[in-house]
Amino acid sequence: MRLALIFDFDLTLSPGIMLDPVLRHWGLEPGDFWRSCSDLQGPDGFDLEHSYLYRLMEEGRRDPAHRLTNEGLRGWGGQVPLYPGLVDSPDGPGLFKALKEAVPPGQLELFIISGGLQPLME
């Protein structure tokens, strides 16, 4: 028997929103950014994922220092907090390592399905 565990990222694996470290680095207040994304949504507008991607592109056009790269996103990803117990700590192995050790090889697959940016999660 094979097992698959499927997770969302924001507010599931992390108590925060993965993009917040990027926004703060740019000097933007995350709440203001997300409200500006909401303003783009609606019956004739974007959905949440497309509105925030559009806003990120706007930021990059407005200020070249705000253009995103995979390298930059991976660096900010290290600032995204994870819930305690997910990763290894002095108290023992994290959840993912413990699961891999408890389930025979090839019997467990872990997936993250998210509207977020993959390099931040990596």
Side-chain angles (χ1 to χ4, degrees):
M1 174 170 61
R2 294 179 61 138
L3 300 172
L5 293 177
I6 303 168
F7 301 91
D8 184 27
F9 192 89
D10 291 338
L11 306 176
T12 301
L13 298 177
S14 172
I17 306 297
M18 72 176 76
L19 195 56
D20 286 357
V22 177
L23 299 175
R24 286 190 187 101
H25 178 81
W26 289 348
L28 301 175
E29 172 56 43
D32 294 341
F33 175 85
W34 292 109
R35 275 187 290 284
S36 73
C37 294
S38 294
D39 293 344
L40 296 171
Q41 298 170 34
D44 296 322
F46 295 110
D47 62 9
L48 174 63
E49 285 75 19
H50 291 109
S51 68
Y52 97 84
L53 293 170
Y54 180 81
R55 283 287 295 116
L56 290 176
M57 288 180 12
E58 281 186 326
E59 281 299 315
R61 284 189 206 118
R62 185 183 66 75
D63 184 343
H66 292 186
R67 291 186 182 148
L68 296 175
T69 64
N70 287 336
E71 180 183 17
L73 289 169
R74 285 186 190 94
W76 285 310
Q79 298 173 31
V80 176
L82 298 175
Y83 280 111
L86 289 177
V87 295
D88 298 350
S89 73
D91 297 328
L95 172 69
F96 298 120
K97 185 174 182 181
L99 285 170
K100 286 185 177 189
E101 291 173 356
V103 178
Q107 298 300 303
L108 176 65
E109 293 187 69
L110 302 172
F111 299 92
I112 297 174
I113 298 177
S114 173
L117 299 172
Q118 184 174 344
L120 279 168
M121 291 182 271
E122 291 173 346

